[in-house]
């Protein structure tokens, strides 16, 4: 049976294709043998020429990009200028010539030299002008906080007859038998850099009470200077600096810690009696090694309550009469402090991330206390102390303790005058830290404190005899608000030399702090 013409033509085409596939390799092999030595040498020369042109273009592009880049930003530039590689067409041709030299050059290739690669115009980096230095008044930071308190004596000696101690505290004038809400602090802080080496800090308080405004009646809401100082750092890293002006005196760890950052509502009597008001007028030199600053930075990033920017070592000279009081005896108070944090990770997994900070401080002073008849005493009294502190930062459990010993002015009721007498006191505090809860982060604490000695900042330097246990908890539902609730079992001698004995009682306290 004869095939159709169309079918015959298809079979014929398939056969011709198969024959072509068999013949093509043989022809290619034959052609591969045809190039001469001259052809190969010419292809090699063309390849060398292309590589040489590429190298020259890359060298020419580098200086052009560096000229367009500002000199001030050369060290910070992390993106190198793009070399002349945007026209990459010659590179594949060179690769073909190197890997397949068997292809003979066509007549067109023989007559036309190899196309040289065209260098791309150098990519000029945008010349970003260095930021102009702002004037100092545009570098001022403003912040602050306010503390609203409620104190309620729920049992004990809220009142007493004349000559007998009532339940009172030198740390909070709002603890009375008639008090309710009070503003404990209304602070506004202005700070900033005047230059690369000079910075300033200014803080007034608008919750100061003044007595004897109307027949002995107390008035509140007065403004008073708290801090006004300038820091000068001779070196750029600011590890070493001098501070001039009214400032905190580096004696006692909790004295240096800001009231906005402290866990307990008030400082302990034993430590705060050394520097009532925590401040004086003078000059201090601070130094902080880089290793210490690294640990403090890590703790701050973790949200720990640090004691502030007061250096690992501090040495200062001050008037010695106390905050906002003029000098009276032409004698300077000298104070020294050292503190050092130790990372406890090497003690095992139980202590991973834990930091233990220990330190000591000492002061030498001569002070003239105010007297009941008016003015200050004619004589200067010794006011010398040494103290130690220990802080185990809560992660999640922590411990904090301070103690000091010394001699200072104290009223002697038998002699009816002020004398220099021994003193001692301190506190031990345990706390925990819960980072997350339905009410936000919170920190429970318990503190025991005791003190026996005079209080030099009150008229006639009366003797205090304090024993107190305080339990509390601080909540922070949002970053701007902190709520502290506390209960205190107090046994105290009132800070009045005309009253004797000790008062006892239970006090419920609450404080709302808002930060701005």
């Amino acid at each position: 049976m004869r095939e159709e013409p169309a079918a015959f033509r298809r079979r014929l085409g398939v056969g011709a294709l198969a024959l072509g596939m068999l013949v093509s390799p043989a022809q290619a092999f034959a052609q591969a043998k045809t190039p001469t030595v001259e052809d190969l040498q010419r292809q090699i020369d063309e390849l060398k020429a292309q590589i040489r042109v590429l190298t020259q273009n890359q060298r020419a592009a580098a200086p052009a990009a560096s000229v367009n880049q500002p000199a001030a930003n050369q060290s910070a530039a992390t993106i190198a200028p793009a070399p002349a590689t945007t026209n990459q067409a010659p590179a594949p041709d060179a690769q073909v010539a190197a890997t397949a030299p068997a292809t003979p050059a066509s007549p067109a290739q023989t007559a036309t030299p190899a196309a040289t690669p065209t260098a791309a115009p150098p990519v000029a980096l945008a010349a970003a002008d260095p930021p102009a230095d702002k004037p100092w008044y545009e570098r001022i930071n403003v912040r602050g906080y306010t503390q609203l308190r409620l104190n309620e004596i729920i049992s004990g000696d809220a009142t007493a007859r004349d000559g007998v101690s009532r339940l009172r505290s030198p740390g909070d004038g709002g603890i009375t038998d008639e008090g309710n809400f009070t503003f404990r602090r209304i602070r506004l802080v202005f700070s900033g850099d005047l230059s690369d080496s000079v910075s300033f800090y200014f803080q007034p308080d608008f919750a100061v009470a003044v007595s004897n405004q109307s027949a002995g009646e107390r008035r509140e809401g007065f403004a008073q200077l708290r801090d006004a100082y300038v820091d000068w750092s001779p070196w750029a890293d600011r590890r070493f600096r001098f501070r001039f002006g009214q400032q905190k005196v580096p004696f006692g760890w909790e004295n240096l810690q800001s009231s906005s950052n402290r866990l307990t509502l008030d400082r302990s009597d034993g430590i705060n009696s050394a520097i009532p008001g925590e401040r004086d007028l003078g000059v201090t030199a601070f130094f902080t090694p880089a290793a210490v600053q690294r640990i403090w930075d890590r703790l701050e990033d973790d949200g720990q309550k640090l004691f502030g920017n007061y250096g690992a070592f501090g040495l200062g000279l001050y008037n010695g009469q106390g905050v906002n009081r003029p000098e009276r005896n032409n004698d300077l108070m000298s104070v020294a402090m050292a503190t050092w944090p130790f990372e406890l990770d090497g003690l095992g997994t139980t202590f991973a991330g834990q930091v233990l900070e220990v330190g000591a401080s000492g002061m030498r002073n001569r002070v003239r206390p105010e007297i009941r008849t008016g003015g200050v005493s004619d004589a200067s009294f010794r006011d010398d102390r040494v103290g130690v502190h220990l802080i185990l930062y809560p992660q999640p459990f922590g411990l904090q303790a301070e103690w000091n010993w010394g001699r200072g002015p104290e009223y002697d009721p038998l002699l009816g005058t002020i004398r220099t007498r021994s003193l001692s006191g301190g506190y031990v505090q345990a706390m925990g830290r819960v980072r997350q809860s339905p009410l936000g982060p919170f920190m429970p604490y318990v503190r025991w404190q005791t003190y026996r000695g005079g209080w030099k900042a009150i008229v006639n330097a009366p003797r205090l005899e304090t024993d107190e246990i305080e339990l509390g908890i601080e909540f922070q539902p949002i970053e701007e608000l902190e709520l502290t609730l506390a209960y205190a079992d107090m046994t105290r001698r009132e800070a009045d030399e005309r009253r004797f004995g000790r008062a006892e009682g239970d006090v419920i306290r609450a404080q709302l702090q808002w930060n701005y």
Side-chain angles (χ1 to χ4, degrees):
M1 183 176 181
R2 298 182 61 181
E3 294 180 349
E4 296 293 332
F8 176 76
R9 286 195 298 269
R10 284 196 300 270
R11 293 173 62 88
L12 182 61
V14 171
L17 178 62
L19 180 61
M21 294 177 62
L22 293 176
V23 174
S24 295
Q27 290 178 344
F29 180 78
Q31 291 176 356
K33 297 298 183 178
T34 57
T36 63
V37 175
E38 291 78 4
D39 295 333
L40 294 177
Q41 185 62 47
R42 185 183 67 255
Q43 294 178 4
I44 293 174
D45 293 340
E46 292 174 356
L47 177 59
K48 288 181 179 180
Q50 293 175 355
I51 295 175
R52 184 163 51 252
V53 172
L54 282 174
T55 304
Q56 292 174 353
N57 290 336
Q58 289 176 350
R59 291 176 179 175
S66 61
V67 169
N68 290 314
Q69 185 177 0
N73 296 332
Q74 285 181 358
S75 59
T78 57
I79 302 177
T85 55
T86 53
N87 280 344
Q88 295 286 345
D93 295 339
Q95 183 177 5
V96 171
T99 56
T103 303
S106 64
Q109 290 176 332
T110 305
T112 304
T116 58
T118 304
V123 180
L125 296 180
D129 294 333
D133 291 337
K134 294 182 179 179
W136 67 269
Y137 50 82
E138 293 185 5
R139 299 197 299 265
I140 296 178
N141 301 313
V142 181
R143 59 181 178 84
Y145 65 97
T146 297
Q147 294 175 341
L148 176 66
R149 283 194 186 176
L150 174 64
N151 297 298
E152 189 67 32
I153 301 176
I154 58 176
S155 67
D157 303 319
T159 62
R161 66 180 187 274
D162 291 344
V164 178
S165 291
R166 302 163 297 180
L167 194 62
R168 302 291 187 269
S169 169
D172 188 351
I175 300 178
T176 70
D177 59 310
E178 299 175 341
N180 283 313
F181 290 103
T182 58
F183 274 124
R184 183 62 183 89
R185 293 173 181 87
I186 304 175
R187 301 284 176 87
L188 197 59
V189 177
F190 301 86
S191 62
D193 292 331
L194 301 178
S195 68
D196 292 339
S197 60
V198 178
S199 60
F200 78 97
Y201 188 98
F202 175 75
Q203 177 181 221
D205 187 2
F206 298 93
V208 177
V210 178
S211 299
N212 299 322
Q213 293 299 296
S214 175
E217 190 68 13
R218 170 187 170 113
R219 292 290 185 268
E220 299 180 341
F222 284 80
Q224 185 184 69
L225 178 66
R226 301 302 290 175
D227 299 278
Y229 61 78
V230 64
D231 281 359
W232 172 56
S233 305
W235 293 282
D237 59 7
R238 299 196 177 189
R239 301 295 180 207
F240 181 80
R241 64 190 186 280
F242 291 98
R243 179 166 294 173
F244 306 90
Q246 183 159 295
Q247 57 187 288
K248 283 191 174 182
V249 176
F251 183 93
W253 195 90
E254 73 166 0
N255 279 348
L256 295 175
Q257 189 178 40
S258 171
S259 299
S260 64
N261 204 31
R262 191 179 58 251
L263 184 57
T264 57
L265 294 182
D266 296 316
R267 296 176 174 90
S268 65
D269 291 355
I271 303 303
N272 197 233
S273 60
I275 313 289
E278 305 88 50
R279 296 161 174 86
D280 211 320
L281 188 61
V283 56
T284 312
F286 294 112
F287 175 69
T288 305
V292 173
Q293 190 62 53
R294 177 185 59 80
I295 298 176
W296 284 344
D297 289 343
R298 178 171 71 83
L299 292 172
E300 184 177 9
D301 293 341
D302 188 47
Q304 296 291 341
K305 295 179 177 292
L306 304 183
F307 79 135
N309 185 21
Y310 296 99
F313 303 95
L315 180 64
L317 296 173
Y318 315 90
N319 282 342
Q321 285 296 120
V323 59
N324 295 322
R325 299 189 180 193
E327 173 64 0
R328 291 295 191 180
N329 57 10
N330 196 28
D331 195 315
L332 292 175
M333 173 175 67
S334 55
V335 179
M337 180 178 178
T339 186
W340 197 275
F342 296 91
E343 295 178 305
L344 305 182
D345 302 76
L347 299 180
T349 56
T350 304
F351 297 93
Q354 290 276 12
V355 174
L356 176 67
E357 185 169 335
V358 296
S361 51
M363 58 177 283
R364 178 266 178 202
N365 190 26
R366 298 295 180 267
V367 64
R368 291 186 177 183
E370 295 183 36
I371 57 178
R372 183 71 57 183
T373 56
V376 298
S377 64
D378 294 330
S380 296
F381 296 90
R382 288 181 57 189
D383 185 23
D384 306 330
R385 300 193 186 202
V386 294
V388 294
H389 62 261
L390 176 150
I391 300 92
L392 179 66
Y393 291 92
Q395 300 190 38
F397 301 105
L399 184 67
Q400 181 174 323
E402 292 189 74
W403 209 269
N404 74 155
W405 307 262
R407 295 179 64 82
E410 178 186 317
Y411 186 80
D412 187 337
L414 297 179
L415 299 177
T417 187
I418 301 174
R419 297 175 54 198
T420 297
R421 307 188 69 172
S422 61
L423 56 86
S424 67
Y427 68 94
V428 177
Q429 174 180 309
M431 57 274 195
R433 185 184 183 193
V434 178
R435 297 175 183 267
Q436 294 181 347
S437 78
L439 299 178
F442 66 89
M443 295 185 68
Y445 70 89
V446 56
R447 182 183 69 174
W448 168 77
Q449 66 158 313
T450 184
Y451 178 60
R452 300 291 187 275
W455 192 276
K456 62 185 177 183
I458 298 178
V459 174
N460 270 353
R463 177 177 175 82
L464 296 187
E465 296 178 2
T466 301
D467 292 293
E468 178 180 305
I469 296 177
E470 179 179 339
L471 295 87
I473 185 169
E474 178 194 272
F475 295 95
Q476 192 169 8
I478 60 176
E479 185 177 358
E480 294 79 13
L481 292 179
E482 298 178 20
L483 175 63
T484 302
L485 305 175
Y487 159 79
D489 179 5
M490 299 181 177
T491 301
R492 291 177 169 273
R493 181 171 179 169
E494 188 175 350
D496 188 332
E497 86 284 0
R498 300 167 298 183
R499 293 181 178 269
F500 299 92
R502 296 207 293 169
E504 299 180 358
D506 302 308
V507 182
I508 294 293
R509 314 176 71 190
Q511 174 178 285
L512 179 66
Q513 172 178 307
W514 54 94
N515 308 305
Y516 40 87

